[in-house]
Structures are given as structure tokens and as C-alpha cells.
Amino acid sequence: MDYSKYQILWDKAKEDLKYKMAEDNYNDTLLPVKSVVKFSNGTIYVLCPSLLIKTKMNKLFSVGLNETLQTLTEENLKFKFITSDEVLPKETPKETSNNMLQSNLKPEYTFETFVAGTSNKLAYRTSLTCAQQGTMLANPLYIFGGVGLGKTHIMQAIGNYILDNDINKRVLYVETQTFINEYSKAARTNSFEDFDQKYSNLDVLLVDDIQMLSNAPKCQNKFFDIFNDMYNKEKLIVAASDRPSDQLKDIVDRLKSRFTWGLQVDINKPDLDLRIQILKRKLVETSEQVVPDEVLEYIAKNFTDNVRELEGALRRVLSYAVTFDENVTLTLAKNALDALLKNKSNNGADQDFENLKSVICDFYQIEMADLISTKKSAKFTNPRHICMYILRTKYDLPYKRIGYLLGGKDHSSVLSACEKISLQLKTDKELKMAVDTICKKIG
Ligand code: ADP
Ligand code: MG
């Protein structure tokens, strides 16, 4: 493997430090740290002649050197300092094959960059323990939760942690869709050599979005075999999914049941406090701009469901300030996020409403136009009132808005419709069943 590109980066970073420190100190510590001996997962491994120098490098210079590195390359890279003990296995055949294995891990997805709080503490602690202890605590580890809540981040943190502590571990992160594509390609050409090579002899397999395995029965079989092989060898398997394993659809039972052998942990939506903590952390990591607490609070209060969106909102505010060359203030943040927020509330609610309308029309076999009309026949008023009731109880919309959405009815008629349905539901079993069915359909 050719490390010259990384060697140049190391030489430059070292050179940069040379002029910032005392000559003796430089000659004793930095000068003998010469060669790049390995590169994997965005980490450039530099060889130290002794344990003492390695410790010094890590304690005193690592942060500064890594900061310099950021200015030298667009890539997200970091230096790590090791002694020859840690590189020796490089010569063994196992290491050769490891070099060829792309772990697909993002170096920034680590435990250090993951902020733990009430909603993700269990997943965080369990993942960290698995990273430290291998399969002793759980195998497989199954992490589930909604979109953008940190499943991919935390599962990759396991991989990064394990590789950080032993560069010879064979760690692979794969998205289920990639797994399926690779499998299909192998099946089409009937050549499983590369595929088997890639998925055999792994120490850690991280499979993301495992719910995507539904409807791919042959692929499930293959995955089942890989799973069993690893499980029998006590190798760690981590799966992430958008739902608990018993709610996986169209996945063979024997595979589903495997997921219950280990531990299942969930990640939930972050509360306000955690959202603010996450914003503060992102700020420290990515920017030197000063952001008042009230701005962070404003962002955190308006982006509640998804950490990816939360981060995006912060980025938008920061870049808005740069573009207009202004300080970050609450007014600026409101301006920057205005369009985003309008879009968000409209989009979500409008889609939900469209969906609800069509489910109700479907259920009662009426036309959409009749649902929002002023026609007084029970055939239409009943579904209309149910629609109002659901919009009120399930989406918590104000009466006025519901009236508007249903063709301009006034506040008081929406109110009485909701009260009527709510009363009727107590005794009318048929109505209750209808409402339950509709609610199930809209999810
Ligand atoms: P998921 O896989 O659940 O859809 P991701 O892991 O892709 O979510 O997370 C989305 C984004 O939010 C990523 O940039 C991730 O780093 C960030 N993120 C999520 N949770 C946290 C957290 N607790 N601390 C820091 N960053 C987080
Ligand atoms: Mg993900």
C-alpha cells in the first residue's frame, strides 16, 4: 500500500509545529516521529520510536497536529500515534486482507461526538459496553428508532472504537440496501467469490436499516448464514432498524427470532435539554462563531423530531450570519429559519391532512369534494365530523384551522362536531371501530 500522500501530510504538519516550539523540545519529541505506517478509516498512523514519545505525542501535540491537518486537506482525516508493537501484525496475512477491507466508517461518528441524554442513554451505554467487551454483554445488538435520531452514528461509533483499540480487527459497516445489491449482482453472475470473501472472517459486522431486508427472501437466507457463522464464532453483530424486531415485515421468522437473542435498545426523540446540548456540541466542533443561548433555544424549540434537521437548522443560521456578515442574533436566526419553518409545518400537516381525507373518503365511499362541501346529508356529515374529530384529537389542530381545512366551516361548528363524536364514541361500538380503523390506516 502506498502511504506517500499521507507521509507528505505528516511531514507538513510536523514542519508547521517546528516553528511554534522550542528547538530542544522539537528535537527530542517530534523529530524522531517520522514514518506513516498505516492508513485506514481516515486515520493516518504514525510510528513513534518509544512508548514515552507516543504518550507525549498523544498528550501534548495530538490536538494541535490534528488541527493543522484539517487545514492541509479537504478530507476528514486524523493522526494517530502508535509504537512498533502495534504495527507488527502488518506483516501477517490477516493484516494484508484487512488492508483491503473498507470498513465504510465515518471517522467523525464516535462516542466522543455523540451527546447522551435521557432519550438515548440506554443505546449509548449498551453500545459503548459492546465496543469495550465484544459479545459478552449482547450479541446481536439491535438498535431501533426513528429517522435522524443517531442510529447510524452510534453503531459506527462501535466500529470506530474497536478499530481505534485494535487496528487489526476486521470491522465492516454496510447498509442493507448495499448488501442486497451486492448479493443480487453475485447471484446474477453466479459468482459469489468476492461477496463471500467480503463477508467472511469478520470480527464485527454493522448492518444498517435491516428493515430493508423485507421482501428479499434469498438475501435473507444468505444473511442468516453469515449471522450464524459469526454468532457461532462469537463475533459481534450490530443491527439498526426503524422498528423493533417483532414488527419487522416480511422477514422470515427464524431470522427475526435471531435478533431477539441479544439485546434490543431504542433511541427516542431528544428532549429540549438534549437538543440544546447537541447544538452546543456541534457548535464547538464546527464553528468559532458566538451564538447566544436564546438562539440555540429557539432552534431547539422549533426542530424537535430529528437531529439531522436540528443540525441543519444550526448550519443554516451560521451560514446566514457569514453571508450577511452579521452577528448571530435571535432576529437573524428567525429570518434564516423562516422559510424552513413555514415549509416544515405546512408540509407535515398538509400531507397528513391529505392522507386523512383520502382514507376517510375511501372508508365511507364518498367523493373528496363532498367531504369538504356544505351538504347536510348524514352520508357526508358523519365522515366530515369524524375528520374534524381526528384532526383535533390526533393532530391537535386548533378548531379554527380545522374549519378552514374543511372548506371554511366556522370555529363553533367544528367544536360541536368534535364534542358530538367524542360523546357518541362512548356508546357507539360501530363508530368506535370505524375511527380505530381510520386511525390505524393513517398510521
Ligand atoms: P439515523 O441513522 O437514526 O437516521 P444518524 O445516525 O444518521 O440517524 O444521525 C443523523 C445526524 O444527527 C448525524 O449527523 C448524527 O451525527 C447526528 N446525531 C444524532 N444523534 C446525535 C447525538 N446524540 N449527538 C450528536 N449527534 C447526533
Ligand atoms: Mg441511519
Side-chain angles (χ1 to χ4, degrees), residues 299-329:
I299 300 175
K301 279 193 173 143
N302 281 286
F303 293 83
T304 54
D305 296 346
N306 180 320
V307 181
R308 195 176 293 121
E309 284 179 13
L310 185 72
E311 278 180 54
L314 176 66
R315 265 201 306 277
R316 195 178 160 100
V317 170
L318 294 176
S319 72
Y320 205 83
V322 171
T323 310
F324 293 101
D325 196 20
E326 282 179 37
N327 290 332
V328 179
T329 59

PDB file of all heavy atoms in Angstrom, residues 299-329:
ATOM      1  N   ILE A 299     -33.760  27.492  18.156  1.00  0.00           N
ATOM      2  CA  ILE A 299     -33.600  26.391  17.193  1.00  0.00           C
ATOM      3  C   ILE A 299     -34.107  25.090  17.809  1.00  0.00           C
ATOM      4  O   ILE A 299     -34.885  24.352  17.206  1.00  0.00           O
ATOM      5  CB  ILE A 299     -32.119  26.236  16.777  1.00  0.00           C
ATOM      6  CG1 ILE A 299     -31.619  27.528  16.121  1.00  0.00           C
ATOM      7  CG2 ILE A 299     -31.943  25.061  15.820  1.00  0.00           C
ATOM      8  CD1 ILE A 299     -30.129  27.518  15.796  1.00  0.00           C
ATOM      9  N   ALA A 300     -33.688  24.839  19.044  1.00  0.00           N
ATOM     10  CA  ALA A 300     -34.051  23.574  19.696  1.00  0.00           C
ATOM     11  C   ALA A 300     -35.560  23.450  19.872  1.00  0.00           C
ATOM     12  O   ALA A 300     -36.118  22.355  19.806  1.00  0.00           O
ATOM     13  CB  ALA A 300     -33.346  23.459  21.039  1.00  0.00           C
ATOM     14  N   LYS A 301     -36.223  24.561  20.092  1.00  0.00           N
ATOM     15  CA  LYS A 301     -37.676  24.504  20.307  1.00  0.00           C
ATOM     16  C   LYS A 301     -38.427  24.260  19.004  1.00  0.00           C
ATOM     17  O   LYS A 301     -39.539  23.748  19.010  1.00  0.00           O
ATOM     18  CB  LYS A 301     -38.161  25.804  20.947  1.00  0.00           C
ATOM     19  CG  LYS A 301     -37.916  25.803  22.442  1.00  0.00           C
ATOM     20  CD  LYS A 301     -38.653  26.918  23.136  1.00  0.00           C
ATOM     21  CE  LYS A 301     -38.506  26.751  24.646  1.00  0.00           C
ATOM     22  NZ  LYS A 301     -38.378  28.040  25.327  1.00  0.00           N
ATOM     23  N   ASN A 302     -37.826  24.656  17.905  1.00  0.00           N
ATOM     24  CA  ASN A 302     -38.527  24.539  16.629  1.00  0.00           C
ATOM     25  C   ASN A 302     -38.176  23.296  15.820  1.00  0.00           C
ATOM     26  O   ASN A 302     -38.860  22.953  14.867  1.00  0.00           O
ATOM     27  CB  ASN A 302     -38.281  25.790  15.781  1.00  0.00           C
ATOM     28  CG  ASN A 302     -39.150  26.937  16.239  1.00  0.00           C
ATOM     29  OD1 ASN A 302     -40.349  26.940  15.979  1.00  0.00           O
ATOM     30  ND2 ASN A 302     -38.566  27.869  16.965  1.00  0.00           N
ATOM     31  N   PHE A 303     -37.088  22.632  16.194  1.00  0.00           N
ATOM     32  CA  PHE A 303     -36.716  21.408  15.475  1.00  0.00           C
ATOM     33  C   PHE A 303     -36.640  20.275  16.484  1.00  0.00           C
ATOM     34  O   PHE A 303     -35.634  20.095  17.156  1.00  0.00           O
ATOM     35  CB  PHE A 303     -35.397  21.600  14.729  1.00  0.00           C
ATOM     36  CG  PHE A 303     -35.514  22.592  13.612  1.00  0.00           C
ATOM     37  CD1 PHE A 303     -35.413  23.953  13.875  1.00  0.00           C
ATOM     38  CD2 PHE A 303     -35.774  22.179  12.318  1.00  0.00           C
ATOM     39  CE1 PHE A 303     -35.564  24.881  12.858  1.00  0.00           C
ATOM     40  CE2 PHE A 303     -35.922  23.107  11.297  1.00  0.00           C
ATOM     41  CZ  PHE A 303     -35.817  24.457  11.560  1.00  0.00           C
ATOM     42  N   THR A 304     -37.737  19.547  16.567  1.00  0.00           N
ATOM     43  CA  THR A 304     -37.897  18.651  17.713  1.00  0.00           C
ATOM     44  C   THR A 304     -37.754  17.170  17.383  1.00  0.00           C
ATOM     45  O   THR A 304     -37.486  16.364  18.257  1.00  0.00           O
ATOM     46  CB  THR A 304     -39.294  18.843  18.318  1.00  0.00           C
ATOM     47  OG1 THR A 304     -40.248  18.663  17.270  1.00  0.00           O
ATOM     48  CG2 THR A 304     -39.449  20.228  18.905  1.00  0.00           C
ATOM     49  N   ASP A 305     -37.929  16.822  16.108  1.00  0.00           N
ATOM     50  CA  ASP A 305     -38.131  15.410  15.797  1.00  0.00           C
ATOM     51  C   ASP A 305     -36.914  14.675  15.273  1.00  0.00           C
ATOM     52  O   ASP A 305     -36.911  13.464  15.198  1.00  0.00           O
ATOM     53  CB  ASP A 305     -39.209  15.262  14.712  1.00  0.00           C
ATOM     54  CG  ASP A 305     -40.546  15.740  15.205  1.00  0.00           C
ATOM     55  OD1 ASP A 305     -40.661  15.913  16.432  1.00  0.00           O
ATOM     56  OD2 ASP A 305     -41.443  15.936  14.381  1.00  0.00           O
ATOM     57  N   ASN A 306     -35.893  15.433  14.890  1.00  0.00           N
ATOM     58  CA  ASN A 306     -34.892  14.801  14.071  1.00  0.00           C
ATOM     59  C   ASN A 306     -33.576  15.561  14.251  1.00  0.00           C
ATOM     60  O   ASN A 306     -33.508  16.755  14.005  1.00  0.00           O
ATOM     61  CB  ASN A 306     -35.403  14.909  12.621  1.00  0.00           C
ATOM     62  CG  ASN A 306     -34.492  14.300  11.603  1.00  0.00           C
ATOM     63  OD1 ASN A 306     -33.275  14.424  11.695  1.00  0.00           O
ATOM     64  ND2 ASN A 306     -35.063  13.668  10.618  1.00  0.00           N
ATOM     65  N   VAL A 307     -32.553  14.865  14.695  1.00  0.00           N
ATOM     66  CA  VAL A 307     -31.291  15.539  14.992  1.00  0.00           C
ATOM     67  C   VAL A 307     -30.629  16.055  13.712  1.00  0.00           C
ATOM     68  O   VAL A 307     -29.964  17.080  13.713  1.00  0.00           O
ATOM     69  CB  VAL A 307     -30.329  14.602  15.753  1.00  0.00           C
ATOM     70  CG1 VAL A 307     -29.031  15.309  16.085  1.00  0.00           C
ATOM     71  CG2 VAL A 307     -30.981  14.104  17.029  1.00  0.00           C
ATOM     72  N   ARG A 308     -30.845  15.335  12.623  1.00  0.00           N
ATOM     73  CA  ARG A 308     -30.259  15.792  11.358  1.00  0.00           C
ATOM     74  C   ARG A 308     -30.821  17.165  10.982  1.00  0.00           C
ATOM     75  O   ARG A 308     -30.086  18.060  10.583  1.00  0.00           O
ATOM     76  CB  ARG A 308     -30.533  14.766  10.251  1.00  0.00           C
ATOM     77  CG  ARG A 308     -29.662  15.000   9.024  1.00  0.00           C
ATOM     78  CD  ARG A 308     -29.858  13.937   7.973  1.00  0.00           C
ATOM     79  NE  ARG A 308     -29.374  12.642   8.397  1.00  0.00           N
ATOM     80  CZ  ARG A 308     -30.119  11.555   8.489  1.00  0.00           C
ATOM     81  NH1 ARG A 308     -31.396  11.602   8.196  1.00  0.00           N
ATOM     82  NH2 ARG A 308     -29.592  10.416   8.875  1.00  0.00           N
ATOM     83  N   GLU A 309     -32.141  17.330  11.151  1.00  0.00           N
ATOM     84  CA  GLU A 309     -32.759  18.629  10.847  1.00  0.00           C
ATOM     85  C   GLU A 309     -32.296  19.712  11.820  1.00  0.00           C
ATOM     86  O   GLU A 309     -32.109  20.867  11.450  1.00  0.00           O
ATOM     87  CB  GLU A 309     -34.280  18.505  10.915  1.00  0.00           C
ATOM     88  CG  GLU A 309     -34.858  17.816   9.708  1.00  0.00           C
ATOM     89  CD  GLU A 309     -36.376  17.681   9.793  1.00  0.00           C
ATOM     90  OE1 GLU A 309     -36.996  18.329  10.670  1.00  0.00           O
ATOM     91  OE2 GLU A 309     -36.926  16.915   9.002  1.00  0.00           O
ATOM     92  N   LEU A 310     -32.125  19.292  13.060  1.00  0.00           N
ATOM     93  CA  LEU A 310     -31.661  20.223  14.090  1.00  0.00           C
ATOM     94  C   LEU A 310     -30.292  20.792  13.720  1.00  0.00           C
ATOM     95  O   LEU A 310     -30.068  22.002  13.726  1.00  0.00           O
ATOM     96  CB  LEU A 310     -31.575  19.456  15.422  1.00  0.00           C
ATOM     97  CG  LEU A 310     -31.236  20.222  16.684  1.00  0.00           C
ATOM     98  CD1 LEU A 310     -32.418  21.093  17.090  1.00  0.00           C
ATOM     99  CD2 LEU A 310     -30.904  19.251  17.819  1.00  0.00           C
ATOM    100  N   GLU A 311     -29.400  19.884  13.333  1.00  0.00           N
ATOM    101  CA  GLU A 311     -28.058  20.294  12.892  1.00  0.00           C
ATOM    102  C   GLU A 311     -28.149  21.190  11.668  1.00  0.00           C
ATOM    103  O   GLU A 311     -27.437  22.188  11.561  1.00  0.00           O
ATOM    104  CB  GLU A 311     -27.254  19.067  12.442  1.00  0.00           C
ATOM    105  CG  GLU A 311     -26.605  18.279  13.525  1.00  0.00           C
ATOM    106  CD  GLU A 311     -25.859  17.101  12.883  1.00  0.00           C
ATOM    107  OE1 GLU A 311     -25.031  17.313  11.990  1.00  0.00           O
ATOM    108  OE2 GLU A 311     -26.146  15.956  13.268  1.00  0.00           O
ATOM    109  N   GLY A 312     -29.016  20.809  10.737  1.00  0.00           N
ATOM    110  CA  GLY A 312     -29.171  21.569   9.502  1.00  0.00           C
ATOM    111  C   GLY A 312     -29.607  22.992   9.799  1.00  0.00           C
ATOM    112  O   GLY A 312     -29.137  23.944   9.177  1.00  0.00           O
ATOM    113  N   ALA A 313     -30.504  23.136  10.783  1.00  0.00           N
ATOM    114  CA  ALA A 313     -31.004  24.466  11.138  1.00  0.00           C
ATOM    115  C   ALA A 313     -29.867  25.322  11.690  1.00  0.00           C
ATOM    116  O   ALA A 313     -29.725  26.495  11.329  1.00  0.00           O
ATOM    117  CB  ALA A 313     -32.125  24.337  12.160  1.00  0.00           C
ATOM    118  N   LEU A 314     -29.047  24.724  12.531  1.00  0.00           N
ATOM    119  CA  LEU A 314     -27.915  25.480  13.083  1.00  0.00           C
ATOM    120  C   LEU A 314     -26.965  25.918  11.969  1.00  0.00           C
ATOM    121  O   LEU A 314     -26.531  27.066  11.907  1.00  0.00           O
ATOM    122  CB  LEU A 314     -27.163  24.625  14.115  1.00  0.00           C
ATOM    123  CG  LEU A 314     -25.895  25.254  14.694  1.00  0.00           C
ATOM    124  CD1 LEU A 314     -26.238  26.488  15.523  1.00  0.00           C
ATOM    125  CD2 LEU A 314     -25.122  24.251  15.555  1.00  0.00           C
ATOM    126  N   ARG A 315     -26.665  24.976  11.078  1.00  0.00           N
ATOM    127  CA  ARG A 315     -25.767  25.307   9.961  1.00  0.00           C
ATOM    128  C   ARG A 315     -26.318  26.471   9.148  1.00  0.00           C
ATOM    129  O   ARG A 315     -25.603  27.364   8.738  1.00  0.00           O
ATOM    130  CB  ARG A 315     -25.605  24.087   9.039  1.00  0.00           C
ATOM    131  CG  ARG A 315     -24.384  23.249   9.364  1.00  0.00           C
ATOM    132  CD  ARG A 315     -23.975  22.392   8.176  1.00  0.00           C
ATOM    133  NE  ARG A 315     -25.072  21.582   7.690  1.00  0.00           N
ATOM    134  CZ  ARG A 315     -25.420  20.409   8.220  1.00  0.00           C
ATOM    135  NH1 ARG A 315     -24.749  19.921   9.241  1.00  0.00           N
ATOM    136  NH2 ARG A 315     -26.428  19.716   7.735  1.00  0.00           N
ATOM    137  N   ARG A 316     -27.629  26.429   8.936  1.00  0.00           N
ATOM    138  CA  ARG A 316     -28.257  27.474   8.138  1.00  0.00           C
ATOM    139  C   ARG A 316     -28.103  28.844   8.805  1.00  0.00           C
ATOM    140  O   ARG A 316     -27.766  29.830   8.162  1.00  0.00           O
ATOM    141  CB  ARG A 316     -29.737  27.136   7.955  1.00  0.00           C
ATOM    142  CG  ARG A 316     -30.396  27.927   6.874  1.00  0.00           C
ATOM    143  CD  ARG A 316     -31.834  27.481   6.738  1.00  0.00           C
ATOM    144  NE  ARG A 316     -32.605  28.506   6.068  1.00  0.00           N
ATOM    145  CZ  ARG A 316     -32.910  28.464   4.783  1.00  0.00           C
ATOM    146  NH1 ARG A 316     -32.525  27.457   4.042  1.00  0.00           N
ATOM    147  NH2 ARG A 316     -33.621  29.427   4.235  1.00  0.00           N
ATOM    148  N   VAL A 317     -28.328  28.873  10.113  1.00  0.00           N
ATOM    149  CA  VAL A 317     -28.193  30.143  10.841  1.00  0.00           C
ATOM    150  C   VAL A 317     -26.752  30.652  10.741  1.00  0.00           C
ATOM    151  O   VAL A 317     -26.509  31.834  10.461  1.00  0.00           O
ATOM    152  CB  VAL A 317     -28.606  29.960  12.316  1.00  0.00           C
ATOM    153  CG1 VAL A 317     -28.234  31.186  13.134  1.00  0.00           C
ATOM    154  CG2 VAL A 317     -30.096  29.671  12.420  1.00  0.00           C
ATOM    155  N   LEU A 318     -25.800  29.735  10.942  1.00  0.00           N
ATOM    156  CA  LEU A 318     -24.392  30.143  10.909  1.00  0.00           C
ATOM    157  C   LEU A 318     -24.007  30.683   9.538  1.00  0.00           C
ATOM    158  O   LEU A 318     -23.345  31.712   9.420  1.00  0.00           O
ATOM    159  CB  LEU A 318     -23.488  28.962  11.281  1.00  0.00           C
ATOM    160  CG  LEU A 318     -23.622  28.451  12.726  1.00  0.00           C
ATOM    161  CD1 LEU A 318     -22.744  27.231  12.943  1.00  0.00           C
ATOM    162  CD2 LEU A 318     -23.265  29.542  13.722  1.00  0.00           C
ATOM    163  N   SER A 319     -24.450  29.990   8.487  1.00  0.00           N
ATOM    164  CA  SER A 319     -24.005  30.433   7.169  1.00  0.00           C
ATOM    165  C   SER A 319     -24.731  31.713   6.769  1.00  0.00           C
ATOM    166  O   SER A 319     -24.194  32.555   6.053  1.00  0.00           O
ATOM    167  CB  SER A 319     -24.188  29.337   6.127  1.00  0.00           C
ATOM    168  OG  SER A 319     -25.539  29.173   5.846  1.00  0.00           O
ATOM    169  N   TYR A 320     -25.937  31.891   7.268  1.00  0.00           N
ATOM    170  CA  TYR A 320     -26.676  33.133   7.038  1.00  0.00           C
ATOM    171  C   TYR A 320     -25.900  34.311   7.626  1.00  0.00           C
ATOM    172  O   TYR A 320     -25.742  35.360   7.000  1.00  0.00           O
ATOM    173  CB  TYR A 320     -28.035  32.996   7.733  1.00  0.00           C
ATOM    174  CG  TYR A 320     -29.142  33.849   7.178  1.00  0.00           C
ATOM    175  CD1 TYR A 320     -29.874  33.434   6.071  1.00  0.00           C
ATOM    176  CD2 TYR A 320     -29.495  35.040   7.804  1.00  0.00           C
ATOM    177  CE1 TYR A 320     -30.920  34.194   5.587  1.00  0.00           C
ATOM    178  CE2 TYR A 320     -30.551  35.807   7.326  1.00  0.00           C
ATOM    179  CZ  TYR A 320     -31.262  35.380   6.220  1.00  0.00           C
ATOM    180  OH  TYR A 320     -32.303  36.136   5.747  1.00  0.00           O
ATOM    181  N   ALA A 321     -25.398  34.102   8.840  1.00  0.00           N
ATOM    182  CA  ALA A 321     -24.632  35.166   9.500  1.00  0.00           C
ATOM    183  C   ALA A 321     -23.375  35.498   8.714  1.00  0.00           C
ATOM    184  O   ALA A 321     -23.021  36.666   8.545  1.00  0.00           O
ATOM    185  CB  ALA A 321     -24.280  34.746  10.921  1.00  0.00           C
ATOM    186  N   VAL A 322     -22.716  34.462   8.204  1.00  0.00           N
ATOM    187  CA  VAL A 322     -21.498  34.699   7.428  1.00  0.00           C
ATOM    188  C   VAL A 322     -21.833  35.439   6.132  1.00  0.00           C
ATOM    189  O   VAL A 322     -21.208  36.433   5.777  1.00  0.00           O
ATOM    190  CB  VAL A 322     -20.781  33.361   7.120  1.00  0.00           C
ATOM    191  CG1 VAL A 322     -19.646  33.586   6.139  1.00  0.00           C
ATOM    192  CG2 VAL A 322     -20.264  32.735   8.405  1.00  0.00           C
ATOM    193  N   THR A 323     -22.854  34.948   5.450  1.00  0.00           N
ATOM    194  CA  THR A 323     -23.224  35.541   4.170  1.00  0.00           C
ATOM    195  C   THR A 323     -23.531  37.034   4.318  1.00  0.00           C
ATOM    196  O   THR A 323     -23.128  37.850   3.502  1.00  0.00           O
ATOM    197  CB  THR A 323     -24.473  34.847   3.594  1.00  0.00           C
ATOM    198  OG1 THR A 323     -24.247  33.450   3.645  1.00  0.00           O
ATOM    199  CG2 THR A 323     -24.718  35.251   2.149  1.00  0.00           C
ATOM    200  N   PHE A 324     -24.274  37.363   5.365  1.00  0.00           N
ATOM    201  CA  PHE A 324     -24.661  38.773   5.525  1.00  0.00           C
ATOM    202  C   PHE A 324     -23.725  39.537   6.463  1.00  0.00           C
ATOM    203  O   PHE A 324     -23.985  40.679   6.807  1.00  0.00           O
ATOM    204  CB  PHE A 324     -26.106  38.864   6.021  1.00  0.00           C
ATOM    205  CG  PHE A 324     -27.079  38.377   4.985  1.00  0.00           C
ATOM    206  CD1 PHE A 324     -27.632  37.118   5.074  1.00  0.00           C
ATOM    207  CD2 PHE A 324     -27.388  39.174   3.889  1.00  0.00           C
ATOM    208  CE1 PHE A 324     -28.504  36.652   4.105  1.00  0.00           C
ATOM    209  CE2 PHE A 324     -28.267  38.717   2.918  1.00  0.00           C
ATOM    210  CZ  PHE A 324     -28.827  37.451   3.017  1.00  0.00           C
ATOM    211  N   ASP A 325     -22.673  38.841   6.849  1.00  0.00           N
ATOM    212  CA  ASP A 325     -21.655  39.454   7.682  1.00  0.00           C
ATOM    213  C   ASP A 325     -22.260  40.137   8.926  1.00  0.00           C
ATOM    214  O   ASP A 325     -22.017  41.301   9.206  1.00  0.00           O
ATOM    215  CB  ASP A 325     -20.861  40.485   6.846  1.00  0.00           C
ATOM    216  CG  ASP A 325     -19.564  40.851   7.558  1.00  0.00           C
ATOM    217  OD1 ASP A 325     -19.140  40.057   8.424  1.00  0.00           O
ATOM    218  OD2 ASP A 325     -19.011  41.919   7.262  1.00  0.00           O
ATOM    219  N   GLU A 326     -23.084  39.369   9.612  1.00  0.00           N
ATOM    220  CA  GLU A 326     -23.717  39.904  10.815  1.00  0.00           C
ATOM    221  C   GLU A 326     -23.441  38.980  11.995  1.00  0.00           C
ATOM    222  O   GLU A 326     -23.063  37.835  11.811  1.00  0.00           O
ATOM    223  CB  GLU A 326     -25.238  39.987  10.615  1.00  0.00           C
ATOM    224  CG  GLU A 326     -25.682  41.161   9.782  1.00  0.00           C
ATOM    225  CD  GLU A 326     -27.199  41.157   9.610  1.00  0.00           C
ATOM    226  OE1 GLU A 326     -27.897  40.789  10.571  1.00  0.00           O
ATOM    227  OE2 GLU A 326     -27.666  41.498   8.513  1.00  0.00           O
ATOM    228  N   ASN A 327     -23.665  39.487  13.196  1.00  0.00           N
ATOM    229  CA  ASN A 327     -23.586  38.613  14.368  1.00  0.00           C
ATOM    230  C   ASN A 327     -24.819  37.727  14.419  1.00  0.00           C
ATOM    231  O   ASN A 327     -25.862  38.085  13.890  1.00  0.00           O
ATOM    232  CB  ASN A 327     -23.541  39.444  15.648  1.00  0.00           C
ATOM    233  CG  ASN A 327     -22.215  40.168  15.763  1.00  0.00           C
ATOM    234  OD1 ASN A 327     -21.200  39.705  15.238  1.00  0.00           O
ATOM    235  ND2 ASN A 327     -22.232  41.316  16.426  1.00  0.00           N
ATOM    236  N   VAL A 328     -24.661  36.594  15.090  1.00  0.00           N
ATOM    237  CA  VAL A 328     -25.816  35.723  15.235  1.00  0.00           C
ATOM    238  C   VAL A 328     -26.708  36.269  16.350  1.00  0.00           C
ATOM    239  O   VAL A 328     -26.315  36.315  17.506  1.00  0.00           O
ATOM    240  CB  VAL A 328     -25.384  34.281  15.571  1.00  0.00           C
ATOM    241  CG1 VAL A 328     -26.608  33.403  15.737  1.00  0.00           C
ATOM    242  CG2 VAL A 328     -24.474  33.732  14.498  1.00  0.00           C
ATOM    243  N   THR A 329     -27.900  36.692  15.971  1.00  0.00           N
ATOM    244  CA  THR A 329     -28.868  37.172  16.967  1.00  0.00           C
ATOM    245  C   THR A 329     -30.168  36.414  16.764  1.00  0.00           C
ATOM    246  O   THR A 329     -30.331  35.709  15.759  1.00  0.00           O
ATOM    247  CB  THR A 329     -29.183  38.664  16.756  1.00  0.00           C
ATOM    248  OG1 THR A 329     -29.711  38.795  15.424  1.00  0.00           O
ATOM    249  CG2 THR A 329     -27.943  39.523  16.908  1.00  0.00           C
TER     250      THR A 329
END
